[in-house]
Amino acid sequence: MPDDVFGAPLPDLARPSRKRQLADHHQRTVDQRVQDCLNYQLLYEMAELLPAPHQVGCPREYPPIVYLLMAALTPVTKSKRSTAGLLASASQWRSLRAAVRRHMGRRAAMALPLAAPTRSQYDYAVKTLLVPSVDPLEEEFRRYAALQALEQGLFPASMPKVWSRPERRQLLVGDATVPKAPSKARKQETVDPVTGELRTHRVDPAARDYYENGEKAKRQVRGTKWFFASGRGDGYWTRVILTFAHVAGGEYEDEAAVAVRQFAHLKSVLPDCMGVIYDGALRGVHRDALARRGLLVVNKQHGSLNPVFYERIKPCRSGHDLWCDQGRIAESVRIDDGTRVLQPVPITRLEPRIGVTKSRWYHVLRIPCRHGDHEYRVPVGITTTAADRALRDATTGKRIPSDHERGFHRAEYLQQIPQDTLSHQLVYPYRSDSESVHSQFDLSLWNRRMIAYGVERQKVFVLGFALSQNATSRQVYLEGRADAAMECRKNA
């Protein structure tokens, strides 16, 4: 590979290691995370979106904020029973009352009963209060999460944008995971083959079969699939989960469609976000949709793609045959033994033209030639259609057919950042942060199984997980800022 703007790839043993040892001061105990949730301002703002207690019928004993706090604490304690038991402690209940007093006032704290709610009371509140209101709660979460990310220094507007090598905090990371269904049962009634006894089982209506680990080493998992998108800095606990969504379909295309919609929404509220990092579930049609919105898409090229002829150009007497190979333009050259090989053409610049409604991307090539090197610009990342602006030949003035008209899937064959480059080696490993989100999600489940039945109840749990993660991220940021201010005062 040529050493161009993206750099020549390094061998595996020469790649720099980014692993760091997790120090003791980076650890967060359960008690600390409980306090993080109790001090999270968003929970108290979301409580105002929930309906007030009814004036008729059985009065609600606890205000909505108590049940929202329990929803955020459940992923920390791993079960609703543990959350109810935690708050049953007199000291923890006093801490909750003190947090309500700080954020909502003395009157709201005085209205709380002297004892914490039971698990059955929380289950009833999830069914009658949180599930009917989960959509506005989710929208409020997305709005606040974007503001929190900006406040914590993610996607900064003042930071230079180096498109060929963006930094970690300028990129979105996303992926989907399938937690195991709460029950292994697939049928509500089965017959014991030995005794003939009729047995009843509780079946999760939302569970279905999914495939993970890609198409080559795919593994079947039964459960519900959830998509997460996040951004983070370089430190521990700097991640902010920005959005989540349920993936109903079992195909990779269904996951990719959900991801494109969520990333497009995040781009509208985070205008200085430079791009996204994803796995092989994103194909050319998905990269095209995101590139048109001004986003870089950094993922691996699909292994089933073979080199295809692109065009022949004649800027000189020799002429050059250009092919698409490994996500970039390569030239077909004849070597000493008479055979032809594809030699990658150096890329001198990744040139974005960001528009309001549609963006375009180009690779500026430097084609080596014995008559003198040639500069040539090639569109990448977007498969043009007849509705796009028509390009014209510089010499003849004739209209150049669009990619759709010539049957060429440009977004599938030409990547914005080709895979076999140093830039890709440095940027794509940030995708491992999505695996960290999945690991934290699995650790928040009792026995690594979803602790709710049905998509609606599971969405409440996923919302609580995202709230608890962002609450700790927010608290760690505030503590770091306070430590930095104290250090400045000492040095002054």
Side-chain angles (χ1 to χ4, degrees):
M1 288 294 172
D3 190 5
D4 52 18
V5 67
F6 296 117
L10 297 174
D12 292 341
L13 295 179
R15 294 185 187 182
S17 177
R18 298 182 180 178
K19 293 183 179 180
R20 294 180 296 172
Q21 185 67 32
L22 185 63
D24 292 339
H25 64 274
H26 292 137
Q27 303 279 2
R28 301 294 286 188
T29 64
V30 173
D31 290 338
Q32 287 177 314
R33 297 205 59 202
V34 168
Q35 291 302 316
D36 296 342
C37 294
L38 296 180
N39 294 325
Y40 196 36
Q41 179 62 33
L42 174 58
L43 288 166
Y44 301 92
E45 295 180 8
M46 293 172 67
E48 299 178 0
L49 301 176
L50 296 176
H54 297 294
Q55 299 298 325
V56 296
C58 181
R60 190 187 302 153
E61 188 174 358
Y62 295 87
I65 183 58
V66 174
Y67 300 118
L68 271 177
L69 289 170
M70 293 185 71
L73 292 176
T74 298
V76 177
T77 63
K78 301 184 180 182
S79 70
K80 292 175 283 189
R81 188 185 303 276
S82 298
T83 301
L86 176 75
L87 295 180
S89 168
S91 60
Q92 289 290 359
W93 186 243
R94 283 196 301 268
S95 297
L96 186 145
R97 292 170 65 94
V100 172
R101 183 169 59 253
R102 287 193 303 270
H103 292 87
M104 303 183 71
R106 185 179 298 274
R107 181 174 298 180
M110 293 297 294
L112 292 176
L114 297 179
T118 62
R119 177 193 173 188
S120 60
Q121 288 175 311
Y122 174 63
D123 275 335
Y124 184 76
V126 169
K127 176 182 176 182
T128 60
L129 180 64
L130 299 184
V131 167
S133 305
V134 70
D135 290 336
L137 294 177
E138 187 178 346
E139 291 302 318
E140 179 65 12
F141 166 80
R142 290 197 181 101
R143 182 197 67 82
Y144 191 93
L147 296 176
Q148 178 179 339
L150 294 175
E151 184 180 352
Q152 293 182 199
L154 304 181
F155 316 107
S158 59
M159 190 173 181
K161 292 182 173 63
V162 182
W163 293 102
S164 59
R165 199 165 297 177
E167 293 193 12
R168 185 176 204 160
R169 56 177 173 167
Q170 296 176 309
L171 298 170
L172 291 167
V173 177
D175 200 3
T177 184
V178 184
K180 293 181 181 180
S183 171
K184 295 182 180 180
R186 294 173 178 260
K187 297 181 180 180
Q188 293 185 349
E189 294 184 350
T190 59
V191 179
D192 190 294
V194 178
T195 63
E197 178 185 0
L198 183 65
R199 296 181 177 179
T200 59
H201 308 276
R202 190 176 182 184
V203 180
D204 181 15
R208 61 165 302 155
D209 292 329
Y210 294 91
Y211 291 95
E212 291 187 323
N213 297 341
E215 295 183 351
K216 292 184 178 180
K218 59 183 180 181
R219 175 174 57 91
Q220 188 175 12
V221 182
R222 183 169 180 80
T224 49
K225 179 177 280 191
W226 294 93
F227 165 84
F228 293 95
S230 62
R232 68 168 295 177
D234 293 327
Y236 291 105
W237 287 109
T238 59
R239 180 195 306 117
V240 178
I241 297 178
L242 297 164
T243 186
F244 61 89
H246 174 242
V247 181
E251 302 296 332
Y252 288 114
E253 291 81 2
D254 302 314
E255 174 191 335
V258 171
V260 168
R261 288 196 296 269
Q262 297 296 325
F263 286 139
H265 170 74
L266 290 174
K267 176 61 177 177
S268 64
V269 297
L270 299 169
D272 293 293
C273 169
M274 292 181 61
V276 304
I277 306 177
Y278 213 83
D279 59 14
L282 293 187
R283 298 296 299 268
V285 64
H286 310 113
R287 296 202 290 245
D288 175 276
L290 295 174
R292 287 175 181 270
R293 293 182 175 271
L295 288 169
L296 279 171
V297 182
V298 184
N299 73 330
K300 289 189 175 181
Q301 193 74 341
H302 205 266
S304 62
L305 294 180
N306 296 319
V308 298
F309 177 73
Y310 181 66
E311 64 177 341
R312 177 175 175 79
I313 60 174
K314 297 194 66 176
C316 59
R317 289 177 299 172
S318 301
H320 301 272
D321 293 330
L322 302 182
W323 288 66
C324 298
D325 183 33
Q326 300 182 42
R328 64 189 298 164
I329 292 294
E331 182 182 2
S332 176
V333 297
R334 192 182 300 276
I335 57 177
D336 295 340
D337 61 0
T339 59
R340 284 189 171 270
V341 297
L342 295 180
Q343 181 174 322
V345 177
I347 303 170
T348 61
R349 188 167 68 255
L350 172 61
E351 186 178 278
R353 297 183 182 178
I354 308 300
V356 177
T357 58
K358 184 179 68 175
S359 302
R360 297 186 299 275
W361 302 79
Y362 299 90
H363 280 173
V364 180
L365 308 178
R366 179 176 53 82
I367 303 176
C369 180
R370 59 190 175 92
H371 301 289
D373 295 350
H374 310 294
E375 183 179 280
Y376 191 64
R377 182 179 284 103
V378 175
V380 297
I382 293 176
T383 304
T384 60
T385 65
D388 294 327
R389 190 185 71 175
L391 299 177
R392 297 191 177 275
D393 191 290
T395 56
T396 64
K398 293 183 179 180
R399 176 181 175 275
I400 300 177
S402 67
D403 294 332
H404 274 204
E405 292 172 318
R406 59 183 284 203
F408 175 59
H409 201 338
R410 185 182 302 271
E412 186 76 32
Y413 286 95
L414 295 177
Q415 295 177 284
Q416 294 156 303
I417 298 182
Q419 178 174 332
D420 290 332
T421 60
L422 178 61
S423 293
H424 195 280
Q425 286 182 342
L426 296 176
V427 175
Y428 185 74
Y430 296 151
R431 197 197 75 82
S432 61
D433 189 54
S434 62
E435 303 299 333
S436 178
V437 175
H438 299 167
S439 176
Q440 292 292 328
F441 187 59
D442 289 339
L443 291 174
S444 68
L445 303 172
W446 179 259
N447 201 24
R448 301 293 181 96
R449 288 188 176 274
M450 183 61 76
I451 60 174
Y453 287 80
V455 173
E456 294 79 9
R457 288 174 175 263
Q458 291 177 11
K459 185 178 288 188
V460 172
F461 178 83
V462 176
L463 174 62
F465 165 75
L467 286 168
S468 64
Q469 292 286 313
N470 288 0
T472 298
S473 176
R474 171 72 174 169
Q475 188 62 32
V476 169
Y477 167 74
L478 294 177
E479 292 174 359
R481 192 170 64 176
D483 293 342
M486 184 178 297
E487 189 68 23
C488 290
R489 288 194 296 269
K490 289 181 179 179
N491 297 331

